[in-house]
Amino acid sequence: MSDAADDAPEELPAWSLTADQAAKLRDPAWPSRFTREWAWGGSTGKGVRVAIVDSGVDPDHPLVGQVQQAVTIGDPDKVEVLADTEGDLCGHGTACAGIVRSIAPDCEIVSVRVLGAGYTGSGPVLMAGLEWAVDEKFDLINMSLSTTKRQFSEFLHELADDAYFNNTMIVASAHNMPVESYPWRFSSVLSVGSHDQQGPLTFFYNPDPPVEFFAPGLDLDVPWIGGSTLRCSGNSFATPHMTGICALILGKHPELTPFQLKSVLHGTATNVEEAAP
Amino acid sequence: MSDDPMMVAVAAGVLSADDAHRALLNSVAETARAIFGAKAASIFLYDERTDELVFEAVAGSGADTLIGRRLPSSAGIAGWVLVTRQPLVIEDVRADPRFAQDVAEDTGYVPKGIMAVPLLHQERSLGVLEVLDRPANAKFTLAEMDLLGLFANQAAIALDLTQRSRRAREALEGGDPAYAAVATVARRLDEMGADSAAVRRLLEALADVLGPADGDAESAAERPMRRRRRA
């Protein structure tokens, strides 16, 4: 085998790794300790595709900016998606999109509406919306929603794992109450709770999961429908902060897998970075 | 309702349980209002049959007039919380288009700030607990969100009990002969004593005839969803 052939990318083994193959597994040179400057310095999230699975996104809100695509679910049994012209019917999705954009202004945003007028939604519609987003291989999926129905948990678990191994990071709100809900409890998603400090880039790694990260979630002025803003609290709004930070990181390091992305988040978390020698 | 003494006894039990559950709900609402120093606190029950939210307990403003009042389940902040099953805290609801101003005016009390939390029991969203107008100078904290969640658990259990006893009462009031027959069987079994060989034979025979209970089989509605992969 020639040297040139040795340098060619080789399909990695699925279930085993010989010493020979291990020697060829190259990872880009990571700094011994990564800094925020290395992780996202200079990034605007450009080139990163973010799906907001929620109540829709107001396409005309000045704090959201351009929405690249908006879809809603037709027949959930067929994962049928339709172009969505309704915008946002309540404000929740607009808030999430606005928070992501406030941190990563140049990321692409696609709205996947799974809640309807009058807040009617159903488990199958939510599942179909998320499934579509996973199949579309978005870089990031913001999901400030969860379901408490166990009948969906196995399906959601499969979806979360598929996303994780296809380089899609699902960023999911932890429930604000001590109840079982999904998908945030799965380790293949990035789960987010709230902290009460200021600063959009202040986030904490939690060494005592299931909630993995805490981001700002208290008294936030967020964009709402009709071009307005509203002061809100809750994990729903902490979650898009982490999505935005992920978009910054992937904008600068698009090659990162979800595992690596989580590692970078750990290394740059406020509590980890400040504790470093 | 039947004149059968057993039925009357069962009905009396159900009715007194309903009163006790209502007292428990009122107590939860009153305690939530006091703990948060709020102007009012309300507990809504979700009525699946009519798709409405019903005021079940009210502490503070509106306590005398709102019990039993019905709202569309999609109305306002409560509707949002019911569907998303996530708590929500809003400092100034007047700026929130989800806030149903007309519904609030109709109830006679228009709040400024709302803390709302879903009442979740097992997999169901039974209703909503709202705490209205905490002290104006008190900054909301995450600890209060946790506290609200604890109250919600208590209220959810009380709501679940209320719903069960109401269903039992409706069944009795409906005068269904099947319930009278069940009451008769229960009374005769009670008279015969649980250790009677005849009782055991009867129960075994009944089990053979009835087959497995509904809960033993997986219904279509509860069958786990499977992942569909695109070609």
Side-chain angles (χ1 to χ4, degrees):
Chain A
M1 197 179 285
S2 70
D3 287 345
D6 280 348
D7 289 340
E10 186 176 322
E11 191 166 330
L12 294 178
W15 310 115
S16 60
L17 186 70
T18 66
D20 223 20
Q21 290 165 323
K24 293 177 185 170
L25 267 184
R26 294 191 181 87
D27 212 11
W30 284 43
S32 53
R33 187 174 78 76
F34 24 74
T35 62
R36 290 187 167 204
E37 177 56 32
W38 175 85
W40 67 72
S43 175
T44 58
K46 191 173 176 58
V48 179
R49 296 170 65 235
V50 180
I52 307 286
V53 178
D54 212 288
S55 59
V57 176
D58 182 347
D60 301 319
H61 201 296
L63 295 177
V64 173
Q66 191 181 4
V67 177
Q68 270 72 19
Q69 186 184 5
V71 299
T72 187
I73 302 304
D75 180 353
D77 288 338
K78 297 175 185 164
V79 197
E80 178 190 28
V81 299
L82 309 169
D84 186 17
T85 55
E86 299 288 336
D88 186 352
L89 298 160
C90 79
H92 195 258
T94 299
C96 293
I99 292 169
V100 173
R101 271 272 165 70
S102 70
I103 294 171
D106 290 334
C107 71
E108 285 184 30
I109 284 192
V110 171
S111 166
V112 183
R113 187 164 63 80
V114 294
L115 289 174
Y119 321 147
T120 53
S122 74
V125 170
L126 176 64
M127 299 305 120
L130 183 62
E131 187 171 25
W132 179 81
V134 169
D135 287 339
E136 288 292 309
K137 296 185 169 54
F138 283 91
D139 299 305
L140 297 163
I141 297 174
N142 187 92
M143 199 166 160
S144 291
L145 302 169
S146 67
T147 176
T148 53
K149 295 186 177 170
R150 283 201 75 84
Q151 74 181 102
F152 299 123
S153 68
E154 187 181 331
F155 173 76
L156 277 170
H157 208 153
E158 274 191 79
L159 265 185
D161 282 353
D162 281 356
Y164 187 86
F165 293 127
N166 281 320
N167 281 350
T168 295
M169 189 81 257
I170 296 175
V171 187
S173 282
H175 209 285
N176 291 281
M177 298 161 60
V179 297
E180 286 280 323
S181 69
Y182 317 95
W184 69 272
R185 288 190 67 91
F186 304 137
S187 57
S188 48
V189 309
L190 194 159
S191 57
V192 187
S194 299
H195 68 65
D196 57 6
Q197 300 186 39
Q198 301 294 312
L201 301 179
T202 301
F203 68 97
F204 297 87
Y205 168 71
N206 179 16
D208 187 20
V211 178
E212 285 187 311
F213 292 95
F214 294 108
L218 188 68
D219 285 342
L220 302 163
D221 290 318
V222 299
W224 214 256
I225 53 174
S228 65
T229 60
L230 190 67
R231 177 156 290 195
C232 295
S233 298
N235 293 349
S236 288
F237 313 108
T239 303
H241 281 85
M242 291 310 297
T243 303
I245 293 167
C246 288
L248 289 181
I249 295 170
L250 291 177
K252 191 168 178 184
H253 304 284
E255 73 285 356
L256 295 184
T257 65
F259 175 81
Q260 292 169 323
L261 179 59
K262 281 194 183 188
S263 302
V264 173
L265 288 171
H266 167 258
T268 54
T270 304
N271 53 328
V272 176
E273 194 184 48
E274 286 177 354
Chain B
M1 200 179 289
S2 165
D3 291 333
D4 184 303
M6 176 68 87
M7 292 282 279
V8 171
V10 171
V14 166
L15 290 171
S16 64
D18 197 21
D19 288 343
H21 299 146
R22 185 179 291 283
L24 179 56
L25 283 173
N26 279 329
S27 166
V28 172
E30 190 57 62
T31 310
R33 189 187 75 83
I35 291 274
F36 290 107
K39 290 272 175 54
S42 313
I43 294 175
F44 298 90
L45 169 75
Y46 176 55
D47 184 340
E48 289 182 24
R49 287 173 297 189
T50 60
D51 196 24
E52 290 173 313
L53 285 166
V54 189
F55 277 100
E56 280 295 324
V58 178
S61 300
D64 302 332
T65 55
L66 294 178
I67 299 294
R69 183 79 68 92
R70 290 173 170 267
L71 314 172
S73 75
S74 59
I77 308 297
W80 168 260
V81 167
L82 181 78
V83 169
T84 61
R85 302 181 178 211
Q86 286 279 1
L88 195 64
V89 178
I90 294 176
E91 297 289 333
D92 187 355
V93 290
R94 292 168 300 190
D96 184 347
R98 284 172 303 188
F99 178 58
Q101 178 85 23
D102 52 339
V103 173
E105 284 172 357
D106 199 35
T107 64
Y109 181 68
V110 182
K112 182 167 183 281
I114 287 183
M115 302 164 68
V117 62
L119 303 179
L120 305 172
H121 186 71
Q122 293 169 343
E123 298 185 359
R124 295 190 300 145
S125 192
L126 301 182
V128 175
L129 167 64
E130 280 190 349
V131 176
L132 311 180
D133 287 335
R134 295 159 56 256
N137 57 351
K139 191 169 160 52
F140 175 69
T141 65
L142 292 178
E144 285 180 297
M145 182 80 92
D146 292 342
L147 192 57
L148 192 62
L150 294 177
F151 274 107
N153 281 347
Q154 208 172 21
I157 292 167
L159 262 190
D160 181 54
L161 291 171
T162 304
Q163 281 187 318
R164 284 171 191 268
S165 69
R166 279 185 193 163
R167 279 198 294 270
R169 186 177 61 184
E170 284 167 11
L172 288 168
E173 288 177 347
D176 187 332
Y179 291 104
V182 169
T184 303
V185 169
R187 188 181 65 228
R188 293 297 302 276
L189 288 176
D190 188 49
E191 288 165 1
M192 291 166 75
D195 293 334
S196 157
V199 169
R200 279 203 301 277
R201 283 203 306 277
L202 177 60
L203 291 176
E204 284 164 10
L206 270 175
D208 283 345
V209 170
L210 296 173
D214 283 350
D216 297 341
E218 192 180 70
S219 72
E222 292 172 350
R223 193 172 296 138
M225 257 180 97
R226 306 288 181 202
R227 172 91 162 104
R228 301 152 292 206
R229 286 188 170 76
R230 271 193 235 171

